Structures are given as structure tokens and as C-alpha cells.
Amino acid sequence: MDYRSGVREGDCVVAFSKNDIFKIRSEIEQSNPDLKCCVIYGSLPPETRASQAKLFNDPNSPYKVLVASDAVGLGLNLNIRRVVFHTIYKSNGKDIIRLPHSAVKQIAGRAGRRSSPYKFGEVAVRRKEDLKWVKRCLGTEIEQVKSAGLLPTSSHVSAFAGASGEQEMSKILTSFDEGAKLRGGYFMCKHGEMVKNATRIDEEAAAAGGVLTAEDRFVLAAAPANGNDPVAQEMVARFARGVAAGRTVGPNITVPSERAESFEKLGELCAKFNHLDLYLWLAQRFNSNALEVQSALTRKQVLVHMIQDALTRASDEGGLTLKHDYRRTDERFRKMFRQ
């Protein structure tokens, strides 16, 4: 499929990177002035994803096409006539993989929902060679789940720590995992990232000269902080020091005064929103200053408006620009998968 001529109203093009999404959107809009595109991907704030979905669903809106990541299959009601797979290959953070059966079915199933104007959905691919795999996936029954992973709760860990006398959360988690005995189709989830977080939290608490309970340490280790994001990791560390010392912790996240003039700056706005979300997650679980919490909520709303402004201007002539070749990226992924 050629995006410059093959896209129609009600289409949802599914790609797996932000650069691909924005380049596809630009190509569609430049070639089809009557087809404006909404975008949805995982790092956008939930409010922004909902706003984009609303625009796409509105029959009176000029936004007739959706370009999205696989986040399109999660929690949004969308009036999609046809799902177009930009590619069937993606990175899982470590390797290049081909979309599994369940992912293909979940994404394709977004087309032709009962509540939408399109009672029957369609599925297409950008590259004809991908159609065989998509058809195979759609014609295959998904294997039933035969086992389930478990993680201990904070009360489990607290009781285990009291019985063992161990103080360091990293050692508590490792010992719990080694000693756990499960029956039936259950297994202990891997929690290497939590152990890594717990090690730093133990160090931060010791440096602060204070005391963190086993439950406090577990909650901090389980915080939804990206292990590759130094700002998120430092926020968890600040909470560890603050809670250990009996101090409240502020968000320490500033909102830019200027509009985002590049896709890189748009990404920074989304990152700041997610950092404030992490702060509020932690603040809800530990004593926090009500004024700081309200300040974080206000900043989140400001960021939502700035992100929406950037997305709108990305469609405007002379707006945000992006140098990216999605075809070259896809070719590279296919080659890496075959190796």
C-alpha cells in the first residue's frame, strides 16, 4: 500500500515507533489534504490519547484517519473501518520480533466493532509479503493460558522480613523467590528490576541515616519507574531519602515556558508528564504536602495542553518537522529478524 494514495476515511495505520507514526501521518496529510490524522501511542498522556480518539470518532471532525501504535488495542473505543499493518516486525527492547498471533488478533480486532458505524472490519498490510502471516494469525486459535506468574505483596514481604530478620530489601526479595513453593500452574515472576531498585533504595536509606520499613522499601522498589530513565530513578531515590528522614518530597519537575518546536521537545513534554505521574503515584503512598500534590496536578494539566498544541501544529505547514525514513527502518528490522 502506498500511503499517499491508498489510505481512506476510517483507516487506522498501525506502526511501532513514534518516528514511524509521525512520518506516516505527515505523508498521508501532505498527499491527501482532506484526510487529517490523529495519533495515539503509549507515552502520550491518557488525556491526550482520549482526546485524539474523540476527534477520530467524531463524524463532523476533519480527522478521518488514525495513525497509532499497538496501544490502539488497549482501552479505547474507536470507529475503525480498516486496520492497516505498517509492518509485522517490531523491537521488544532486546530483539526484533515478528508480531505474535495474539497481538495480530488484538490489533486487527479493533476494526468493525459493534458500537462503531462499521459493522464489518477489514485488515490490510503495507507490504504484500506480510499478508500471509497476518492471515495465518487470524485463522489460528489463540492457545489457552496454562500458567500464571505471581509476585509477593507488600504484606507478604513484610511478614517474610520479620520472620527472617533480614533488613535489606534486595536480599529479602531474592530469598523469598528462592524459598517460594507454588502448586498448580503458577510460577514466580522474574523481578530482577525490583531487586536492582531495592539495592539502590537500601543504599539511599542508609545514606539518609533514617529508617525505612520493609513495606516502605517494597513499595519504592515496585514503583512504576523506567529503569532506563535517570530522572524517574532519581525521583524514587529522593522519596527513599525523604521517607527515611521523615521529610515530605516535592515533584521537582519544571514545565517549559516555550512551545515545543520539535518532535524531540514533544517527547520531553511527554516524559515530564510521566515523571509527574510517577510523583503522584509515590505521593499517594507516602505522606506528602497537599500543596505540592496540587502543584503537580496543575503542572500535568498544563503539559496536556502543551502536548495537544504540539500535536496540532505537527499537522500544520511549517510546524514540527521530522527527518526519518520508515522504509529504511523497516528493511533493517526485517534483515535483523532473519539473521
Side-chain angles (χ1 to χ4, degrees), residues 38-272:
C38 290
V39 296
I40 293 175
Y41 53 90
S43 62
L44 285 175
E47 295 91 333
T48 305
R49 296 200 297 268
S51 174
Q52 292 287 294
K54 185 177 180 180
L55 278 173
F56 175 68
N57 286 339
D58 184 354
N60 298 316
S61 164
Y63 291 86
K64 305 297 185 183
V65 175
L66 178 63
V67 186
S69 71
D70 40 357
V72 74
L74 303 173
L76 291 171
N77 292 317
L78 296 161
N79 297 336
I80 297 172
R81 180 182 62 83
R82 179 176 63 169
V83 165
V84 179
F85 284 91
H86 169 67
T87 181
I88 57 172
Y89 300 95
K90 62 177 287 189
S91 170
N92 65 1
K94 293 183 179 180
D95 304 302
I96 302 303
I97 64 169
R98 184 165 55 186
L99 289 179
H101 293 73
S102 57
V104 172
K105 279 197 164 187
Q106 184 178 34
I107 295 169
R110 304 306 295 175
R113 312 284 283 190
R114 285 185 182 179
S115 58
S116 81
Y118 310 110
K119 301 305 179 185
F120 300 96
E122 301 174 30
V123 178
V125 293
R126 180 178 67 90
R127 292 181 55 147
K128 189 175 180 180
E129 65 200 73
D130 292 345
L131 190 58
K132 182 178 179 180
W133 178 252
V134 171
K135 284 184 174 181
R136 177 179 170 183
C137 292
L138 294 178
T140 303
E141 288 295 325
I142 297 176
E143 187 177 348
Q144 294 298 308
V145 174
K146 297 179 180 178
S147 59
L150 300 175
L151 277 175
T153 64
S154 57
S155 58
H156 290 143
V157 170
S158 184
F160 184 81
S164 65
E166 181 58 67
Q167 297 297 314
E168 295 183 21
M169 181 52 59
S170 55
K171 293 181 179 179
I172 292 170
L173 288 171
T174 301
S175 298
F176 190 101
D177 185 38
E178 292 173 348
K181 292 182 174 59
L182 303 177
R183 297 178 181 177
Y186 296 99
F187 60 89
M188 288 298 296
C189 291
K190 294 179 180 179
H191 50 252
E193 194 66 33
M194 282 185 67
V195 173
K196 180 181 174 182
N197 294 341
T199 300
R200 182 176 183 183
I201 290 161
D202 290 333
E203 294 170 353
E204 295 290 351
V211 177
L212 283 174
T213 66
E215 189 166 351
D216 288 340
R217 293 170 191 254
F218 179 82
V219 172
L220 288 164
N226 187 334
N228 297 319
D229 185 339
V231 176
Q233 291 297 307
E234 177 55 26
M235 182 172 291
V236 175
R238 287 196 301 110
F239 263 90
R241 295 191 295 268
V243 174
R247 294 182 282 102
T248 58
V249 179
N252 199 31
I253 300 295
T254 58
V255 175
S257 58
E258 299 180 349
R259 306 166 85 184
E261 298 295 344
S262 68
F263 285 101
E264 180 182 4
K265 293 298 182 182
L266 171 59
E268 291 176 7
L269 292 179
C270 293
K272 285 178 178 291

Side-chain angles (χ1 to χ4, degrees), residues 291-319:
L291 292 177
E292 295 280 21
V293 170
Q294 186 56 51
S295 173
L297 289 168
T298 301
R299 292 179 213 184
K300 277 184 64 177
Q301 290 306 308
V302 172
L303 286 168
V304 166
H305 290 301
M306 295 182 74
I307 291 167
Q308 186 60 51
D309 171 68
L311 289 178
T312 301
R313 289 188 299 112
S315 292
D316 298 338
E317 188 174 350

